[in-house]
Amino acid sequence: MINKEDIVNQFDIEGTVAEIAPLGNGLINDTFKVITQEEDAPDYVLQRINHAIFKDVDLLQRNIQRVTDHIRTKLAARGETDIERKTLRIIPARDGKLYHFDGENYWRITVLIPRVKTYEAVTPEFAYYTGKAFGDFQSMLVDIPGEPLGETIPNFHNMETRLEAFKETVARDPEGRVKKAQWLIDELMQRAYEMCKAERLHREGKLPKRINHCDTKVNNMLFDENGQVLCVIDLDTTMPGYVLSDFGDFIRTAGNTGAEDDENLDNVNLNMEIFKSYAKGYIESAKSFLLPIETENLPFGAKLLTYMQTVRFLTDYLDGDHYYKIKHPEHNWQRSLAQFKLLQSIEAHENEMSAYIKSLMTA
Ligand code: GN1
Ligand code: MG
């Protein structure tokens, strides 16, 4: 048994540990809240990094340090107050490293930001602020100095390589699940060429890569008591990519009237009000750097990320569930069906989404 308190004490924390309890519901890392005894000592967030997925923990932690340092400098330069609640702070291990390796697992600690709320769903009003916050996050990172950030998961949002892995898994069929899933595999393959459009535009030199968060789920934002966005968390996948990723992943999660793994597909549809509010907020704070090709393709981004997530859940299901944490044996299948239903709803709204984006640009 791992003694988490011993792990915590490898880090340069203030105060003494009173309690360590599970926190959040991420599908990849294991997260815990560390409560300290002393009133004046902060509480902390302890995470066991999924090392099978994040293979270069050193690069991962250096990326996060660079991102948070840069954001802190930007916030200070524009005279923001309460900066410690507006970006994450990594606590180094006592040996000076940004993580601790216990011989088997990699661990890290950040300061727990006090008095915050997280949500699995948002109202249109919150979606507007969230759009502004993610646009702001991207615009603050436009001029991060030094080398480009490393890819913590190579080809993370590359649709072409995701499809290669998918086809390879279908051909191997290690669990004998292909027969049951064949109709969905066919649906996805029919869309494959279209969905690789971003990669083609990039190769043609038309669509740039910028620093993105690459996991813009609603539950990766912290809100204050008044519903204002304080801070973007879960920075593991902050790396170069297309802005379509961050836009699309938010719509995929917040714009879904149902759950990501909803058992009842009738619950799952695109909420156009959320789309509109988020798009409005996002474009307001990102228009200073967005190119026309990026803005035009935002509705495609919503489609792409939902498609990509369907491919990823289905790949994991066919492969025997090695990537995402599951709660029951058919969980990844259920997730695939729910994401596909959402994809169909997004497709049905594509013209409406494009018309709205146009109206924002000419307003
Ligand atoms: C994972 O761990 P979590 O829930 O923040 C995943 C995302 C997926 C998401 C699906 C590193 O994020 O890419 O979109 O699950 N993160 C990684 O909900 O694969
Ligand atoms: Mg998360």
Side-chain angles (χ1 to χ4, degrees):
M1 256 304 267
I2 303 162
N3 184 333
K4 290 192 209 76
E5 196 172 328
D6 287 349
I7 304 284
V8 172
N9 287 324
Q10 300 298 319
F11 290 85
D12 202 7
I13 63 157
E14 283 171 50
T16 14
V17 176
E19 195 191 325
I20 302 179
L23 180 68
N25 52 4
L27 300 186
I28 306 292
N29 297 317
D30 297 322
T31 309
F32 306 90
K33 180 176 179 169
V34 179
I35 302 166
T36 52
Q37 276 167 23
E38 297 77 359
E39 279 282 297
D40 55 348
D43 294 330
Y44 296 93
V45 176
L46 169 71
Q47 281 191 306
R48 175 164 60 183
I49 301 169
N50 186 327
H51 176 47
I53 293 176
F54 296 105
K55 298 207 162 61
D56 188 343
V57 175
D58 207 66
L59 170 83
L60 174 73
Q61 290 297 90
R62 275 188 287 118
N63 265 4
I64 297 178
Q65 183 81 304
R66 284 179 60 195
V67 166
T68 50
D69 282 351
H70 188 68
I71 290 178
R72 209 173 284 116
T73 311
K74 286 264 155 142
L75 293 175
R78 68 188 193 202
E80 297 252 2
T81 54
D82 209 9
I83 291 178
E84 283 307 309
R85 286 171 86 211
K86 292 183 179 162
T87 187
L88 293 177
R89 181 175 286 283
I90 297 180
I91 299 295
R94 297 202 193 273
D95 65 6
K97 285 210 182 71
L98 298 175
Y99 56 88
H100 169 69
F101 180 56
D102 67 8
E104 196 180 337
N105 291 295
Y106 288 83
W107 301 86
R108 66 170 167 214
I109 286 195
T110 51
V111 176
L112 181 99
I113 301 178
R115 305 181 307 284
V116 295
K117 295 201 169 99
T118 55
Y119 299 95
E120 293 297 324
V122 285
T123 60
E125 190 194 349
F126 274 31
Y128 170 77
Y129 292 125
T130 315
K132 282 188 83 123
F134 274 120
D136 192 35
F137 179 82
Q138 288 179 345
S139 66
M140 285 194 282
L141 294 175
V142 161
D143 58 354
I144 187 163
E147 295 274 291
L149 289 184
E151 289 197 11
T152 52
I153 301 178
N155 293 316
F156 186 50
H157 279 180
N158 181 329
M159 199 58 243
E160 290 176 347
T161 53
R162 290 279 172 199
L163 279 165
E164 287 312 311
F166 177 59
K167 285 189 273 187
E168 183 277 324
T169 311
V170 171
R172 212 164 22 92
D173 193 16
E175 299 289 316
R177 289 173 166 175
V178 162
K179 191 160 178 273
K180 165 183 176 177
Q182 192 61 55
W183 69 270
L184 183 53
I185 298 169
D186 294 343
E187 289 280 358
L188 294 173
M189 287 315 297
Q190 277 164 25
R191 291 161 170 86
Y193 179 79
E194 186 205 350
M195 295 298 171
C196 294
K197 177 169 89 170
E199 303 304 332
R200 289 192 294 276
L201 288 173
H202 180 66
R203 272 197 295 276
E204 291 162 12
K206 295 177 184 155
L207 183 67
K209 285 199 177 176
R210 309 182 185 281
I211 303 301
N212 277 289
H213 181 275
C214 291
D215 193 12
T216 47
K217 290 161 72 163
V218 197
N219 63 13
N220 281 334
M221 309 216 72
L222 305 181
F223 294 82
D224 72 8
E225 303 85 337
N226 308 315
Q228 297 291 322
V229 175
L230 269 176
C231 179
V232 178
I233 59 166
D234 207 350
L235 304 175
D236 295 331
T237 50
T238 303
M239 60 173 132
Y242 313 123
V243 293
L244 310 183
S245 276
D246 282 5
F247 185 83
D249 228 4
F250 187 84
I251 301 303
R252 180 184 77 78
T253 53
N256 185 352
T257 53
E260 186 178 62
D261 60 351
D262 219 304
E263 270 178 295
N264 181 356
L265 299 182
D266 292 338
N267 290 340
V268 176
N269 277 301
L270 172 67
N271 179 340
M272 272 303 286
E273 289 314 304
I274 297 287
F275 172 86
K276 287 182 179 170
S277 311
Y278 184 78
K280 190 164 187 287
Y282 176 70
I283 288 179
E284 272 175 31
S285 61
K287 67 174 173 237
S288 60
F289 67 86
L290 288 178
L291 299 174
I293 189 130
E294 294 177 299
T295 341
E296 273 159 34
N297 277 295
L298 292 176
F300 172 74
K303 207 161 68 166
L304 172 61
L305 267 287
T306 309
Y307 174 81
M308 191 184 299
Q309 196 61 57
T310 318
V311 170
R312 291 177 63 191
F313 282 147
L314 187 56
T315 305
D316 198 33
Y317 178 69
L318 299 177
D319 190 42
D321 310 306
H322 300 299
Y323 191 92
Y324 292 107
K325 289 182 195 167
I326 50 167
K327 293 192 175 137
H328 55 86
E330 293 296 289
H331 205 167
N332 275 320
W333 175 241
Q334 191 178 312
R335 288 168 173 154
S336 308
L337 295 178
Q339 290 293 292
F340 183 63
K341 168 70 199 295
L342 180 64
L343 175 65
Q344 290 172 305
S345 176
I346 290 178
E347 286 172 343
H349 286 93
E350 209 175 347
N351 292 339
E352 207 186 323
M353 289 193 285
S354 294
Y356 183 72
I357 297 283
K358 270 208 193 91
S359 75
L360 287 178
M361 295 316 285
T362 48

